[in-house]
Amino acid sequence: MIRILLAEDVHLLRKALVELLSLEADLEVVAEVVSGAGIVPAVLQVRPDVAVLDIDLPERDGLDAAAELQTVAPDCRVLILTGLNKPGQLRTALRARVAGFLPKDVGPAELAHAIRTVAAGGRVLDPALTAAALEAAPSPLSQRETQVLRMSATGADPLEIAGRLFLTQGTVRNYLTSAQVKLGGRNRVDAIRIATESGWL
């Protein structure tokens, strides 16, 4: 039996995925999470074989949580399901060493097969997104600049970001400023827009 943690904040979609996966004899959803902040604690509590994560989650994005899981729960394989389909996110996911990256419009059979592949130690990447990621320009931002700008895009202020990343407020402001300069943004909001449209967040 493959034990699965599912992180998805849209109630209807989450319940539909749970129902679909429960039809597979060898798959079991052992935990459901509705926010990014709940992913790591839930994984540490239930120890699933595979964590199926949305990227765009409240409080903390799935890619950020996936990167931490590689350190605190390396035996848990991560499969990203996204509705955003941005090449930059695939590159970020690969840096976080996720095992799978698929769009949310995959069919039930394909998702079940992907979970089995990931659980067995394989890797599953959407071909169209992979091709787009290879063709797209690389992000000029460092991993930390990307992380801080992504958190800022959710509405978190520098003090909150500093607390969550164990940095000083001044360091966070420096990362935000350097990201803005590298992207050529007029201000932080413009930098977030540029990075988002380029698929770097």
Side-chain angles (χ1 to χ4, degrees):
M1 184 68 72
I2 298 171
R3 293 162 48 83
I4 302 163
L5 174 138
L6 179 62
E8 169 59 59
D9 61 320
V10 178
H11 179 79
L12 185 62
L13 178 56
R14 188 177 68 257
K15 291 304 180 185
L17 287 170
V18 170
E19 288 297 319
L20 287 169
L21 294 174
S22 70
L23 298 175
E24 304 291 332
D26 60 335
L27 304 181
E28 179 186 11
V29 177
V30 295
E32 299 174 44
V33 179
V34 298
S35 75
I39 293 172
V40 172
V43 166
L44 293 176
Q45 181 179 358
V46 302
R47 296 291 177 177
D49 301 302
V50 178
V52 179
L53 311 179
D54 185 16
I55 291 179
D56 191 23
L57 292 167
E59 299 177 22
R60 185 183 195 186
D61 72 78
L63 290 176
D64 190 47
E68 184 177 349
L69 287 178
Q70 295 304 316
T71 302
V72 301
D75 292 338
C76 178
R77 306 276 287 164
V78 175
L79 171 62
I80 297 289
L81 274 185
T82 179
L84 302 176
N85 299 348
K86 294 178 179 173
Q89 290 182 330
L90 175 56
R91 289 194 298 269
T92 301
L94 292 175
R95 284 197 299 271
R97 301 196 301 279
V98 303
F101 194 97
L102 294 172
K104 285 185 179 179
D105 60 1
V106 296
E110 187 178 352
L111 176 58
H113 175 71
I115 290 172
R116 292 184 186 105
T117 300
V118 165
R123 175 168 273 183
V124 180
L125 302 175
D126 178 67
L129 271 177
T130 302
L134 291 172
E135 295 168 0
S139 172
L141 304 177
S142 69
Q143 188 170 355
R144 186 63 94 179
E145 287 166 345
T146 301
Q147 185 180 35
V148 168
L149 196 62
R150 187 182 297 125
M151 293 174 73
S152 180
T154 67
D157 62 28
L159 182 61
E160 182 182 351
I161 295 171
R164 287 165 60 182
L165 297 180
F166 304 104
L167 300 170
T168 67
Q169 190 173 355
T171 299
V172 169
R173 290 189 187 280
N174 288 341
Y175 280 128
L176 289 170
T177 300
S178 63
Q180 180 182 326
V181 170
K182 285 182 179 180
L183 294 172
R186 295 184 304 275
N187 51 43
R188 189 181 308 165
V189 173
D190 193 38
I192 290 169
R193 178 192 60 78
I194 293 168
T196 301
E197 289 177 356
S198 302
W200 297 329
L201 286 188

